Amino acid sequence: MLDGLLMGLDNLFEPMHLLILFAATLIGFLGGALPGISGTMLVIILLPISYGLDSISALILLTTIYASSVFSGMISAILFRTPGTPEAVATVLDGYPMAQKGKAGQALGIGIFSSVTGGIVGALFLIFLTPVLAAFALRFSSPEYFALAVLGLTVVVSLSGGDLIKGFIGVAFGLFIATFGMDPLTGTERFTFGTLELIGGIDLIPVLIGLFAISEILRKSKEDHTIKQKVVKVKTKIFDSKIITQIRGTIARSSLLGVIIGILPGVGATTAAMLSYSEATRWSKRPKEFGTGIPEGIAAPESANNAAAMGAMVPLLSLGIPGSATTAVILGAFVMHGLQPGPMLMVKSPDVVYTIFISLFMVNILILIFAKPFIRVFSNIIKVPYYALGPAIVVFCIIGTYAVRNSVFDIWIMLLFGVIGYYLDKYKFPLAAIILGVVLGPIAEVEYRRGLLMANGEFSIFFTRPISATLLALAVLALVIPLWNGYRKTRANKRMNTNENH
């Protein structure tokens, strides 16, 4: 591990990689702090651009943007009561009231310190936990990989927002999209309809950009993203020994909770922030003061969401299962560059993995350095209206989509999925579930068929091998337990209504 970390450090300090790290940190700041743009959207917009870079440069770019945008969402949350990212929703509860009291600088300082601490804790867990999980997963063969892909698809339970039927429809739609083109084992054409462009299948990039970026632009074009409040000049103080002593217990507990929640596939940093805020209230000696502008109310969600962002990378790198919607997009970036996240990634491309480790650790140091200067210039950036940003984003999406395969057909696919994504999102269909189907579907299909070939067509191979049987059992439990809990809740509500009527 020490050799790997030194190799990653050496890679990162190459001039080009270092430049990308700095640029990606600042881009992530912008994406997170500006309402109407998120880290996920920036990752998707820059995904086609990353195709022209080598794999290490591309993944430094995308993972750094993800990490820094999770931090910067708290800036507009504290100053304007407008969270720049979903992960900063809980920060509004105490951050904005503190700013209203004239303590905006103190609130931002607490947010910066908590975010950096949580991010570093998460990065350390990422560095030490990923190789352990990957080493265990090296025992995998085709049946185990199939079972792992099935387990990954059950993340739909978490991504479906409580509506499993819509989640299943989303995954099924994604799986269907993945079948277009050439059969991966026999070379037979499937669903090409005699169209030359479809022989290579529907590319992941236009689907991703359409579903997430274009649909989001269509949705946000109907909203008002202008900041009503006047931007106030604030003096940010990060290292306040009295405040740090007061919040250190909250930061430690929330960082650990954030890592654990981040590792759970599909849960995400927003959930980590909300849960850590509620736990901070539970553990506090003054719970009634939460929501009035106290330091613990900022420290808890900010340390948790940044730790969770790092934790979400653990299942992605070690098992190939995305821990959040953004890491599902990053999974697509790995595939685009000919890399398959999972246990063999540590063996085949240790330089990529360890460079990502070091860059995710270093981005937290850069947040500490750049946060204060960025906040000073943010007052000018925030004046840019969304009606100017939206069309610029669309242009970047079109250029990026075309650049991957020099295909106008891909642009039409992107626009088509943009419209589909807009209406699916309108009716609360989980778009991330579709991406899971598109990315994990081919893996599940190929490994399932290879597994059957290994066993001469005997389906029992998936249940007689201990690891694959365990993974499939976990997949079944991941689906059955929420269904059972929902059934029990429905019965309890009916019983309560019956008692009230009597």
Side-chain angles (χ1 to χ4, degrees), residues 82-394:
T82 309
T85 59
E87 293 89 350
V89 169
T91 309
V92 172
L93 301 176
D94 277 274
Y96 185 69
M98 188 179 282
Q100 290 292 90
K101 293 176 183 177
K103 298 180 180 178
Q106 187 183 81
L108 289 166
I110 293 166
I112 295 167
F113 182 80
S114 303
S115 298
V116 169
T117 306
I120 288 173
V121 170
L124 291 173
F125 271 90
L126 171 67
I127 290 167
F128 290 104
L129 205 55
T130 302
V132 175
L133 278 175
F136 168 75
L138 281 173
R139 305 175 190 177
F140 288 14
S141 185
S142 286
E144 286 77 21
Y145 279 117
F146 166 71
L148 189 62
V150 171
L151 180 62
L153 290 170
T154 61
V155 171
V156 67
V157 175
S158 303
L159 298 178
S160 59
D163 195 332
L164 278 178
I165 293 174
K166 287 180 179 177
F168 285 134
I169 292 171
V171 165
F173 183 47
L175 291 170
F176 176 64
I177 294 167
T179 60
F180 280 65
M182 304 282 279
D183 183 295
L185 295 183
T186 65
T188 308
E189 289 184 22
R190 304 188 300 194
F191 302 114
T192 57
F193 308 104
T195 306
L196 189 64
E197 288 87 349
L198 283 174
I199 290 177
I202 295 177
D203 194 58
L204 179 66
I205 300 300
V207 175
L208 271 174
I209 293 177
L211 283 177
F212 284 95
I214 301 297
S215 67
E216 188 74 355
I217 291 162
L218 290 172
R219 186 177 69 83
K220 289 188 182 298
S221 64
K222 297 186 176 183
E223 298 176 5
D224 183 9
H225 293 283
T226 56
I227 299 297
K228 306 298 181 187
Q229 296 93 332
K230 186 180 178 182
V231 180
V232 184
K233 288 187 177 181
V234 293
K235 189 175 181 181
T236 307
K237 188 176 182 182
I238 299 173
F239 299 103
D240 186 325
S241 57
K242 186 180 177 182
I243 294 292
I244 291 171
T245 304
Q246 184 181 334
I247 63 175
R248 62 188 179 187
T250 302
I251 290 176
R253 184 173 56 251
S254 300
S255 297
L256 186 59
L257 185 62
V259 171
I260 294 167
I261 292 171
I263 290 171
L264 298 174
V267 181
T270 306
T271 307
M274 295 303 295
L275 283 176
S276 67
Y277 186 86
S278 64
E279 285 302 307
T281 310
R282 191 198 311 273
W283 285 74
S284 177
K285 294 177 182 177
R286 43 179 186 157
K288 291 183 180 178
E289 292 184 31
F290 276 77
T292 63
I294 63 171
E296 292 92 331
I298 301 170
E302 281 307 308
S303 53
N305 60 22
N306 284 270
M310 300 295 160
M313 295 294 295
V314 174
L316 174 67
L317 294 173
S318 60
L319 302 175
I321 299 175
S324 66
T326 314
T327 51
V329 177
I330 294 172
L331 171 60
F334 273 98
V335 174
M336 188 176 75
H337 282 275
L339 300 167
Q340 183 57 58
M344 289 306 294
L345 187 66
M346 294 288 295
V347 177
K348 292 182 176 178
S349 306
D351 55 333
V352 174
V353 177
Y354 282 104
T355 306
I356 291 171
F357 286 167
I358 296 296
S359 65
L360 286 174
F361 184 87
M362 288 298 296
V363 70
N364 291 288
I365 308 300
L366 293 181
I367 287 170
L368 198 61
I369 296 168
F370 291 144
K372 287 176 70 173
F374 176 79
I375 290 167
R376 279 200 292 270
V377 300
F378 184 61
S379 57
N380 295 316
I381 300 167
I382 200 71
K383 294 173 185 174
V384 180
Y386 196 76
Y387 62 75
L389 285 172
I393 292 170
V394 172

Side-chain angles (χ1 to χ4, degrees), residues 3 53 55 58 63 75 85 119 129 151 155 168 191 231 298 350 381 399 414 449 457 488 501:
D3 288 343
L53 302 171
S55 56
T63 54
I75 298 171
T85 59
L129 205 55
L151 180 62
V155 171
F168 285 134
F191 302 114
V231 180
I298 301 170
I381 300 167
I399 293 170
M414 177 198 72
R449 290 165 67 181
R488 285 178 60 190
N501 292 333

